[in-house]
Amino acid sequence: MFQNQGQGGAYPTIANSMEYRKIKDQDKVEDLSGGDVEDLRGKTHSAIGKDVAMLSGISSHKSQWKLKSIVTLALTILTSSQAILIVWSKRAGRYEYSVTTANFLVETLKCALSLAALTRIWLTEGVTEDNRLSTTLDEVIVYPIPAALYLIKNLLQYYIFAYVDAPGYQILKNLNIISTGVLYRIILKKRLSEIQWAAFILLCAGCTTAQLNTNSDQVLQTPVQGWLMAIVMALLSGFAGVYTEAIIKKRPQRNINVQNFWLYVFGMAFNAVAILVQDFDEVVNKGFFHGYSFIIVLMIINHALSGIAVSMVMKYADNIVKVYATSVAMLLTAVVSVFLFRFHLSLAFFLGSIVVSVSVYLHTLGKGQK
């Protein structure tokens, strides 16, 4: 009896122990499953985060590439069409409209665009010390100098076409790289690299090669007057550009649109004086818009947008984009001039254009090796 009872009492104990172990193992499995689930969830969220970041990066890269492409295309078209529109605006070899009024309207449009950009900033960010138009005499007294230089340079670019064609103008316009580089060294005390000096020599060689005239006893297609005007324009453009950069860097906290606004205001004032001095009688007798056509309106818009396109390149792209745009513009101007103005695309011009393109590229490359 006692033995049977003892045995009978042992069975429940073993059963309870087995049940306990079973429950404990089940709890471990549940804990393990819960940990795996949490770990899986963490890995899933991490993978999703990486995928989202990757897709965001791809999308950002695509949008940036798209913006660079648009800016490059815009700058190429504006640069190549600038000289073409000026030549196209002539009638029987002369300008039937007042070039001073055209320059005045260019400065007015630039000023309006700068003011529109400022208005947008004021609406989104509010008026601050850096973007307000109110200023001091010490700040604005420096703007008349570059404004006057740009006035003379912009007027000369109309008269130089009495001696050069549109493709030749695009080639000679690159001389301002040399003047800008030398003036950088003199005014801003910036050292030029050996590559940049070599690029200057190549640029001179390329400009000369492109102007060689193989079908005449005259060595160069462009006469001395054209070369002198091109050199003067390059010096004026270079000095005005370096001086303007010095003004901007003197007050780096100032909004660029404010600085452009005051520069264009003085540009309007000087061009108004030029109208009074040079074309007052013609404007009074024939009207301010006498001789204007759709081509002239396009030319004015082109001149105004070109400056904005360059600033956009510096902001959204890089210098190499400007190099490509300049190089393509030279060849594009030549090709279009073949059809519009019966321009003869010679081997000398083609080779000279390539040399100029290489020199511009080397000059940009040399900026990082000073």
Side-chain angles (χ1 to χ4, degrees):
M1 294 283 296
F2 179 78
Q3 187 177 2
N4 289 341
Q5 285 179 353
Q7 291 176 350
Y11 293 146
T13 302
I14 295 173
N16 290 337
S17 177
M18 292 177 63
E19 185 69 23
Y20 172 75
R21 290 179 179 176
K22 184 178 180 181
I23 293 173
K24 191 173 181 181
D25 292 340
Q26 187 175 358
D27 290 340
K28 287 182 179 180
V29 172
E30 289 178 356
D31 291 339
L32 183 61
S33 300
D36 289 343
V37 171
E38 292 299 325
D39 185 53
L40 183 60
R41 286 178 180 174
K43 289 182 178 179
T44 303
H45 287 304
S46 177
I48 291 174
K50 289 180 180 179
D51 290 341
V52 170
M54 185 180 296
L55 290 174
S56 177
I58 293 173
S59 177
S60 175
H61 179 73
K62 285 184 177 180
S63 61
Q64 188 178 9
W65 180 85
K66 184 178 180 181
L67 185 59
K68 280 187 178 183
S69 301
I70 294 174
V71 170
T72 305
L73 180 63
L75 184 61
T76 303
I77 294 174
L78 290 170
T79 304
S80 59
S81 59
Q82 196 171 74
I84 293 173
L85 288 172
I86 293 177
V87 175
W88 211 353
S89 67
K90 297 170 71 174
R91 293 290 180 271
R94 59 185 297 270
Y95 300 108
E96 294 183 355
Y97 61 95
S98 168
V99 296
T100 54
T101 61
N103 270 341
F104 177 82
L105 292 177
V106 169
E107 297 299 315
T108 304
L109 182 55
K110 287 180 180 179
C111 190
L113 291 173
S114 297
L115 190 59
L118 276 174
T119 303
R120 183 179 179 183
I121 293 174
W122 292 336
L123 293 175
T124 55
E125 302 176 7
V127 180
T128 64
E129 188 72 17
D130 297 336
N131 63 30
R132 60 181 175 83
L133 280 181
S134 57
T135 182
T136 61
L137 181 62
D138 292 337
E139 183 178 356
V140 299
I141 199 66
V142 295
Y143 290 109
I145 296 176
L149 294 174
Y150 280 126
L151 166 68
I152 302 172
K153 178 257 178 184
N154 290 335
L155 288 176
L156 282 177
Q157 77 176 352
Y158 289 94
Y159 299 119
I160 195 175
F161 285 103
Y163 306 101
V164 301
D165 47 30
Y169 172 76
Q170 289 287 14
I171 290 287
L172 295 176
K173 194 169 69 170
N174 287 287
L175 290 173
N176 64 10
I177 296 177
I178 299 177
S179 63
T180 301
V182 174
L183 290 170
Y184 257 95
R185 181 72 179 90
I186 297 174
I187 298 176
L188 298 181
K189 308 298 181 183
K190 291 189 175 182
R191 191 176 69 87
L192 299 174
S193 66
E194 294 179 357
I195 293 181
Q196 287 179 300
W197 286 113
F200 291 160
I201 298 174
L202 272 179
L203 183 60
C204 292
C207 290
T208 306
T209 302
Q211 292 297 310
L212 290 176
N213 191 355
T214 56
N215 299 325
S216 174
D217 294 335
Q218 186 179 358
V219 179
L220 299 177
Q221 293 181 5
T222 302
V224 177
Q225 299 94 318
W227 277 93
L228 290 176
M229 292 181 71
I231 293 171
V232 171
M233 286 178 60
L235 290 172
L236 290 172
S237 179
F239 186 78
V242 172
Y243 192 88
T244 303
E245 182 176 340
I247 294 173
I248 292 173
K249 289 185 175 180
K250 187 177 180 181
R251 291 180 171 85
Q253 74 281 0
R254 251 327 205 165
N255 188 284
I256 186 65
N257 292 298
V258 175
Q259 295 172 316
N260 283 340
F261 174 83
W262 285 112
L263 177 63
Y264 299 148
V265 164
F266 282 103
M268 291 170 59
F270 284 127
N271 277 281
V273 173
I275 293 174
L276 295 176
V277 173
Q278 182 173 327
D279 297 322
F280 179 75
D281 291 338
E282 183 179 355
V283 171
V284 170
N285 296 328
K286 298 181 179 179
F288 190 90
F289 298 101
H290 172 74
Y292 274 59
S293 63
F294 179 69
I295 296 298
I296 298 170
V297 173
L298 286 180
M299 181 191 69
I300 292 171
I301 296 174
N302 175 282
H303 278 69
L305 293 180
S306 294
I308 297 175
V310 171
S311 63
M312 287 184 67
V313 164
M314 298 306 169
K315 183 175 182 180
Y316 296 110
D318 45 36
N319 281 325
I320 199 65
V321 170
K322 187 179 179 182
V323 171
Y324 289 143
T326 303
S327 302
V328 174
M330 287 189 295
L331 297 176
L332 188 60
T333 301
V335 172
V336 174
S337 296
V338 171
F339 298 98
L340 291 180
F341 312 120
R342 297 179 180 178
F343 171 72
H344 175 64
L345 186 60
S346 64
L347 179 61
F349 183 88
F350 181 74
L351 294 176
S353 300
I354 294 176
V355 174
V356 169
S357 301
V358 172
S359 68
V360 174
Y361 172 75
L362 288 176
H363 175 73
T364 306
L365 189 67
K367 287 183 178 180
Q369 300 183 12
K370 295 179 182 179

